[in-house]
Amino acid sequence: MAEALTTPQPDLELWPIGNCQVSGLIDEAAGLVWGCVPRVDGDPVFCALLNGGQQQVGVWRFAIEGQVSATQHYERNTPILVTRLEAEDGSAVEIRDFCPRFERSGRMHRPVAYVRIVRPVAGTPRLKITLRPMKGYGAQLAETTNGTNHVRYLVGPQAMRLTTDAPVGYLLEGRSYRVESDQHFFLGPDEPFTGNVRSEVRTMEAQTSRYWKHWVRGLHIPFEWQEEVIRCAITLKLCQHEETGAIVAALTTSIPEAPGSERNWDYRYCWIRDSYYTVQALNRLGALDVLEKYLAYLRNIVDAAQGGQIQPLYSVMGVGELNETTAAHLAGYRGMGPVRVGNAAYQQVQHDCYGQIVLPTAQGFLDQRLLRMADEHDFAALEAVGEMAWKMHDQPDAGLWEFRTRQEVHTYSAVMCWAACDRLANVAKQIGKPDRADFWSGRAAQIAAKIEQEAWVPDDAGGGHYGASFQSDYLDASLLQMVELRFLAPDNPRFQATFAAIEKELRRGEHMLRYASEDDFGLPETAFNVCTFWLIEALHLAGRDGEARKLFETMLGHSTQSGLLSEDLDFETGELWGNFPQTYSLVGVINGAGLLSKPWSEIR
C-alpha cells in the first residue's frame, strides 16, 4: 500500500498567484502558505511559510484522504494554477487557484480576493479543508462568525468573507467529506456576494484567463525559451502594485539568503534600483503598461523629494518611513528567524537611485506609443534629479548591496550618476534644448573622468581593473554593468581586464558572488542569482556564446517547478535561498534569453 503524502517541510517550490493588488504563494500540496492583505506589504493572514514548520495555522489547504501525489501547472500564459491531488485508491481532485483580474465597468477589477475551485476528476475523493488565517503577523488565529453559505474571518481592523457552495460545517470543523460535484470558494471583501457563487466564480475565471492571455499576446518575446520568458514576465507584472505603479522586489519577507545567516530582509517594498531593472526588462518585451504606471509612481516620488535626496526604497504607497521591526510570533522560514517587517535601508544613502530614476523616465520623452508623453514640467523635475546625481557622484554611500556599517564612493553608484547626466543630455537633444544638452554632456564627461581617475586600480604589470569603490581595490560583480549602462564598450581594454579579474575572483563554478570580501554579516555563503546572469551577459559580449548558453541553461535548471527563481543559490548544493520570487533574478532570465536566442528571422 502506498504511503500517504505528508505536509511538506517549507521550501521554495511555490507557485505565485495574484492580480496586482494581492498575491499568494501556493505550495506543492495545494496549501496557500503566504498571502498578505490588503496588499503585498500588509499583514500575512496566510503565514505558514514563515511559521517555523507549524503548517496547520496561517494556511488554506485542501487535502484528500489517502493522498499520495500532487502535480501542478499553470494554465498556459496565465497565473491560474491547476493542482491535481491523487489518492492511493485512484480518486483525484483538481484545484484551480487565481486572484480575479479583468475589466469591468470601464476599469480594472482586482479585488482583495482569492478564488479556489475544487473539482472531483476521478473516483470518490474525500476532501478535508484547512482554512485558518491569522492576524497580527501570526499573533493569533482570526476569529470567525458564519452563516449558511459564508464564513467571516476577523483578520484585523477589517474582515474577509468566504462565500462557498461547499458544506460550511465540514469546513469549520475540519472534517473530511465526499466531494461529488464542483465546489467554489471566494475569499474576499466582507460584503454579501452578489449572484450565484458557482456561475460568478466561473465567469471570473474565464475573464481572468482572457485578460492574461491577451496581455501575453502583446509581448515581443525571443524565439527560444518562450515559456520561461512568458512566466517571468507574468510574475514581474504580479509584483506591481497597480494602484500606485510601485514594483516590489519580491512577494515575501525574511527568507534567509543562507541557512541561519540572519540575512533576512523584508523585500515587499519598491526599490528604485530593482524597479529600474524590472521595467527595463519588461520594456524590452513591449510591456509598456507596467512602465507607464511605474513612471507615474516615480513622478510622485520626485515631487515629494522637492529636489532633495531620494531614498533607495519606499512603500508601495510612496511612504518613506519603513521602520524595521521583527514579528515576534513567527519563527521564520524553517525556524530560521528573525522575521523582519519594514526595512532600515530606507535610511541609507544610495546615490545610484538618481540614474535609475532618469533612465526609465527618459523614455517618457521619446516613445510615441505612450498614452502620456512627458512634458516641459517633467523635464524640469528630471533636471532636479540630475542635479542630485551631479552633487553626489563622488560622495560616499552604502552602495547597491546596502552595507549597513560602512560607506565608500562606490563605482557602480558613480556610473549611475554619470548615466543620469548622459541620458539627460540625450533627452535635451531630442526635445530641442541644445544648451541643456551641452550642459549635461559636460557634467557627464566630468563624472566619467573622475571615475577613470579614482576607480581604476593599476597593477605592477601595467594593467589593472576597476575597483568596487574609489577607496578600495576589491571586486564587485556590479562592475559588469558598465557596458550595459554604455559607460564602456565591450571591447574596451579596461572592461576586458576587469571582467577577467571578476571572473577569477568571484566566479564559483557555474555561479557568481556579489563580492568575496566580508560584509556586516561575514563572508557571503551563497551566489547572487542576478550576478550570474550579469556574468552570462558579459560572456556573450566577450564572444563566448557557447559558454553563455550553457551557463544560462544551467541557471534555468535551478528554477522551481513554477519556472521561477529566488534571490540566492547555494553554489555547492544548488538549493535556492532568499526572498521569492525575486524580480532581479526573473529580469536575468528575460535579458539572457533576449541576448542568446536565435532570431525569429532565422526560423521563419
Side-chain angles (χ1 to χ4, degrees):
M1 180 182 258
E3 184 178 346
L5 198 69
T6 58
T7 302
Q9 172 80 353
D11 61 26
L12 296 185
E13 283 295 344
L14 301 167
W15 299 73
I17 59 172
N19 62 4
C20 304
Q21 172 64 41
V22 291
S23 56
L25 298 176
I26 311 290
D27 72 8
E28 291 183 285
L32 176 54
V33 295
W34 184 256
C36 304
V37 297
R39 56 180 186 254
V40 64
D41 60 355
D43 190 356
V45 298
F46 298 110
C47 56
L49 180 66
L50 298 185
N51 211 14
Q54 300 298 315
Q55 296 217 9
Q56 297 308 308
V57 293
V59 69
W60 183 1
R61 187 179 300 283
F62 295 113
I64 56 175
E65 286 187 357
Q67 185 174 316
V68 293
S69 69
T71 56
Q72 293 170 295
H73 69 274
Y74 282 115
E75 180 182 317
R76 190 175 75 90
N77 294 354
T78 79
I80 299 174
L81 177 63
V82 182
T83 304
R84 180 186 173 96
L85 305 179
E86 191 163 324
E88 56 190 352
D89 65 359
S91 60
V93 297
E94 179 185 273
I95 302 161
R96 300 180 69 84
D97 286 304
F98 67 97
C99 296
R101 179 178 173 83
F102 48 87
E103 287 192 19
R104 189 173 76 177
S105 302
R107 58 186 176 83
M108 190 59 66
H109 181 61
R110 40 178 173 74
V112 180
Y114 301 93
V115 177
R116 313 193 77 179
I117 302 171
V118 179
R119 292 176 175 144
V121 292
T124 56
R126 292 184 61 82
L127 180 71
K128 179 179 179 180
I129 307 169
T130 303
L131 177 48
R132 306 185 76 189
M134 305 193 81
K135 64 180 181 180
Y137 280 83
Q140 63 185 91
L141 284 167
E143 300 96 332
T144 64
T145 60
N146 66 279
T148 306
N149 298 111
H150 77 268
V151 183
R152 293 178 70 245
Y153 295 91
L154 305 178
V155 292
Q158 57 187 350
M160 296 189 77
R161 178 186 294 235
L162 175 74
T163 302
T164 182
D165 51 12
V168 169
Y170 287 145
L171 184 153
L172 289 171
E173 295 181 16
R175 294 181 180 274
S176 298
Y177 65 97
R178 184 164 169 164
V179 183
E180 297 181 338
S181 62
D182 294 0
Q183 299 189 342
H184 306 81
F185 302 81
F186 181 90
L187 180 64
D190 183 27
E191 55 193 38
F193 190 91
T194 303
N196 178 278
V197 66
R198 176 189 179 94
S199 60
E200 290 297 324
V201 162
R202 289 190 171 189
T203 299
M204 289 180 189
E205 182 187 14
Q207 291 177 315
T208 299
S209 176
R210 186 180 305 114
Y211 167 81
W212 285 105
K213 288 176 179 176
H214 277 267
W215 185 80
V216 168
R217 187 183 179 198
L219 298 179
H220 175 69
I221 60 174
F223 174 75
E224 295 183 87
W225 305 295
Q226 293 184 41
E227 187 174 342
E228 292 87 347
V229 168
I230 288 170
R231 183 54 49 199
C232 289
I234 289 173
T235 307
L236 287 178
K237 184 168 174 63
L238 293 181
C239 289
Q240 182 166 59
H241 184 68
E242 188 168 74
E243 180 181 3
T244 62
I247 300 169
V248 297
L251 299 179
T252 59
T253 176
S254 302
I255 308 295
E257 294 179 14
S261 65
E262 296 194 14
R263 297 175 186 262
N264 302 11
W265 312 115
D266 192 347
Y267 277 10
R268 301 170 300 157
Y269 305 109
C270 183
W271 268 260
I272 303 299
R273 174 173 50 254
D274 300 52
S275 300
Y276 155 69
Y277 282 107
T278 297
V279 296
Q280 178 198 51
L282 288 177
N283 187 48
R284 287 169 173 163
L285 301 180
L288 288 186
D289 57 331
V290 176
L291 172 68
E292 284 190 304
K293 292 182 185 302
Y294 178 63
L295 291 182
Y297 178 81
L298 278 186
R299 287 191 290 270
N300 279 304
I301 295 298
V302 170
D303 286 352
Q306 296 182 333
Q309 180 180 318
I310 291 174
Q311 295 178 192
L313 71 152
Y314 296 84
S315 82
V316 296
M317 300 304 294
V319 175
E321 190 170 328
L322 304 172
N323 293 323
E324 188 175 296
T325 60
T326 58
H329 300 284
L330 293 175
Y333 180 73
R334 300 184 187 173
M336 299 176 189
V339 173
R340 290 190 169 92
V341 181
N343 198 304
Y346 84 90
Q347 297 175 308
Q348 291 185 359
V349 175
Q350 296 176 28
H351 300 319
D352 56 320
C353 67
Y354 302 111
Q356 289 142 1
I357 289 174
V358 173
L359 266 64
T361 304
Q363 187 170 342
F365 297 89
L366 311 174
D367 194 334
Q368 293 288 338
R369 297 172 297 170
L370 296 172
L371 295 175
R372 180 197 183 277
M373 295 288 290
D375 57 23
E376 292 279 340
H377 299 290
D378 296 318
F379 185 73
L382 206 58
E383 284 198 293
V385 177
E387 288 291 344
M388 286 299 294
W390 166 252
K391 180 180 178 181
M392 298 299 177
H393 76 273
D394 59 354
Q395 298 301 304
D397 72 353
L400 81 163
W401 307 125
E402 302 185 339
F403 297 122
R404 294 197 168 200
T405 59
R406 69 174 190 262
Q407 290 194 346
E408 296 176 315
V409 182
H410 288 94
T411 305
Y412 175 85
S413 296
V415 172
M416 270 294 180
C417 289
W418 167 85
C421 297
D422 178 74
R423 302 315 192 269
L424 274 168
N426 292 348
V427 169
K429 291 175 188 175
Q430 293 296 322
I431 63 175
K433 293 181 177 291
D435 56 332
R436 302 309 296 164
D438 291 342
F439 176 82
W440 288 111
S441 290
R443 285 195 162 176
Q446 292 181 64
I447 296 175
K450 185 75 143 182
I451 293 169
E452 294 294 348
Q453 176 185 341
E454 301 291 340
W456 183 251
V457 181
D459 61 25
D460 294 337
H465 62 78
Y466 290 102
S469 75
F470 290 7
Q471 290 81 20
S472 63
D473 61 359
Y474 76 93
L475 290 156
D476 178 338
S478 68
L479 297 168
L480 296 176
Q481 289 288 284
M482 298 173 91
V483 170
E484 167 67 28
L485 292 169
R486 304 203 303 266
F487 182 79
L488 296 174
D491 59 355
N492 182 287
R494 285 194 166 189
F495 175 73
Q496 292 178 339
T498 301
F499 176 31
I502 287 174
E503 192 172 10
K504 179 180 178 181
E505 179 75 17
L506 302 183
R507 187 169 179 175
R508 298 293 183 271
E510 298 171 322
H511 306 288
M512 195 78 158
L513 302 179
R514 287 174 285 186
Y515 43 82
S517 57
E518 287 197 12
D519 60 16
D520 312 329
F521 291 81
L523 287 171
E525 301 173 62
T526 52
F528 203 70
N529 288 329
V530 74
C531 295
T532 304
F533 286 112
W534 289 348
L535 170 62
I536 291 167
E537 293 174 17
L539 289 170
H540 165 73
L541 293 169
R544 295 159 62 184
D545 270 9
E547 292 179 69
R549 287 180 67 91
K550 183 179 178 181
L551 189 53
F552 185 68
E553 291 282 6
T554 297
M555 284 301 295
L556 293 181
H558 289 297
S559 300
T560 60
Q561 292 299 306
S562 58
L564 305 172
L565 289 164
S566 64
E567 181 183 47
D568 305 276
L569 188 147
D570 187 316
F571 49 80
E572 294 182 352
T573 68
E575 184 173 9
L576 292 173
W577 290 90
N579 283 304
F580 179 88
Q582 177 72 16
T583 53
Y584 262 155
S585 302
L586 307 188
V587 163
V589 173
I590 291 172
N591 290 346
L595 287 174
L596 300 173
S597 173
K598 299 174 184 176
W600 283 92
S601 58
E602 287 187 11
I603 311 300
R604 291 170 177 161

